[in-house]
Amino acid sequence: MTSEKIASTEISAPSILPSLLEGLAQEDLPRRSVTLYRLFKGDWSGEDKATIVMALLNLLRQPEPPERAALVMLLAELARPQPATPGATSSARNQASLRAALLTGLPLYTELAEASEPSVRLHSLYLLSWLFEERARLLPLLLRRLDEEEEARLRAGLALTLAQLAGPQPPVRACLLALLKAHEAPITRLGAAMALTRLLGPESPQRAARLLVRAIGAPQAVANDYDALPWARNSVVADSSDLLRLLPRRRLQFALPVLLEALASASYYEALSLARTLLYLGFPRPRPEAPFQATTPTQEAILAALRTSLSAWQASELLGAAAPPSPELSAS
């Protein structure tokens, strides 16, 4: 869902939601697709979201409903915590109603996590990763699913779900470390590396850092699989670069040549992340009013690369910033 957001004044009109929910059950594929788009993009209240959840659950309980994966993904987006926005009117009671509605579908979600379609399984895992209230119940199920799952993307998704949902519990850490070291597909090992880095930060293993740098240097090996993961926020290059800023500088000096080379062909968002990571690695935190000043050959090389890269040129405001910002990584 990459199109422009529909104005909230239109989408939140009292009369629009019932007709949209009715459209979900239609056999008309174009109408159903438009309805899903509008439900994804709407600026809904907590009460509206609870209504949407119950309608989606009713649909998913029917035999083979159309577009199951999209319906599950919409549920996951409703379950994902949203940042507070100025003027938000959702009350705590409405939010509680939303969470209660979501949790009534837990038996269905666990069933869908074993569905025949890989996309349904993957989106169900993403949904489960936001149900923090049920982490104790879900952890054994997810560990069992990891033993049984053969699809590489799904194994990567399970790694990310375990880290996000269960936190640094010993069984989870042991499981992710085993994935990192095992003979697994590249996307599975990258998923484990990302999960461990988000989970442990500076204490994550050096092998995880090397896999993140490898994804930046040779993204073609994992890009298609990574783009299919609901946890992806940008490209594998940008997201891997963001995660590197959770690690100590001293452990990442080996990455500088790879990052500089990647910058030369980076897209805008990739260049923005790579620029921040290069500045993080190459420069101590300056005074708030001070721009970055090169005093070593490495620092000179970083600033020269940022100035000459056409993609990074749009991120040149960073060269005068007070400090490289911390990566804005949610649990996703």
Side-chain angles (χ1 to χ4, degrees):
M1 301 290 172
T2 57
S3 301
E4 205 171 301
K5 185 173 182 179
I6 295 173
S8 62
T9 53
E10 172 196 353
I11 203 69
S12 58
S15 61
I16 195 71
L17 185 56
S19 62
L20 287 178
L21 296 178
E22 181 183 345
L24 274 182
Q26 299 298 314
E27 294 184 3
D28 183 345
L29 178 60
R31 181 180 177 185
R32 211 164 53 233
S33 297
V34 169
T35 298
L36 275 169
Y37 166 76
R38 290 163 72 86
L39 288 170
F40 264 103
K41 293 298 181 180
D43 186 14
W44 305 108
S45 69
E47 183 179 2
D48 286 339
K49 289 179 179 179
T51 301
I52 296 169
V53 166
M54 298 310 296
L56 292 172
L57 290 176
N58 288 335
L59 271 175
L60 284 166
R61 289 185 178 114
Q62 296 176 8
E64 298 298 325
E67 300 186 271
R68 281 206 301 177
L71 298 178
V72 176
M73 188 63 185
L74 178 51
L75 276 171
E77 286 301 308
L78 293 169
R80 183 163 67 94
Q82 299 297 320
T85 55
T89 58
S90 295
S91 67
R93 183 166 57 186
N94 283 341
Q95 288 302 313
S97 296
L98 170 61
R99 298 308 295 181
L102 285 162
L103 293 175
T104 63
L106 185 60
L108 175 63
Y109 311 150
T110 57
E111 179 182 332
L112 292 171
E114 302 186 33
S116 58
E117 308 105 299
S119 60
V120 173
R121 298 203 303 277
L122 185 63
H123 291 171
S124 297
L125 290 175
Y126 185 59
L127 169 57
L128 291 174
S129 73
W130 298 114
L131 302 183
F132 304 112
E133 300 94 330
E134 296 290 342
R135 57 167 55 95
R137 181 176 173 183
L138 288 172
L139 179 56
L141 180 147
L142 293 169
L143 291 172
R144 177 177 60 80
R145 288 295 306 129
L146 187 58
D147 287 337
E148 298 170 352
E149 184 59 63
E150 297 180 355
E151 290 273 348
R153 286 180 187 175
L154 272 295
R155 292 178 68 75
L158 278 159
L160 292 164
T161 298
L162 283 165
Q164 180 169 304
L165 182 67
Q169 298 184 35
V172 174
R173 293 179 64 159
C175 176
L176 295 176
L177 288 169
L179 284 180
L180 198 67
K181 298 174 182 177
H183 183 65
E184 295 274 355
I187 188 62
T188 303
R189 298 182 73 213
L190 178 63
M194 288 182 157
L196 281 165
T197 304
R198 291 175 179 175
L199 197 62
L200 304 179
E203 298 179 7
S204 62
Q206 186 69 359
R207 190 186 297 261
R210 294 192 177 278
L211 284 170
L212 293 173
V213 174
R214 184 182 302 173
I216 293 170
Q220 63 277 8
V222 292
N224 288 339
D225 286 324
Y226 185 77
D227 289 344
L229 296 178
W231 292 264
R233 287 291 168 253
N234 288 295
S235 72
V236 68
V237 171
D239 288 354
S240 297
S241 173
D242 284 345
L243 284 168
L244 289 179
R245 299 200 297 278
L246 298 179
L247 304 176
R249 292 180 179 86
R250 59 182 171 76
R251 291 176 47 192
L252 295 173
Q253 295 308 303
F254 77 94
L256 283 168
V258 177
L259 298 175
L260 289 169
E261 184 175 354
L263 184 63
S265 59
S267 67
Y268 171 69
Y269 286 108
E270 291 170 349
L272 188 63
S273 179
L274 290 167
R276 287 171 172 159
T277 303
L278 283 164
L279 292 172
Y280 167 72
L281 296 183
F283 292 81
R285 190 175 293 271
R287 298 188 307 277
E289 70 278 6
F292 290 99
Q293 297 291 334
T295 59
T296 69
T298 296
Q299 292 174 342
E300 290 174 359
I302 290 172
L303 294 184
L306 293 178
R307 291 191 179 102
T308 57
S309 167
L310 292 177
S311 295
W313 186 258
Q314 298 177 71
S316 60
E317 69 272 11
L318 288 172
L319 299 181
S326 300
E328 294 179 343
L329 288 172
S330 68
S332 64

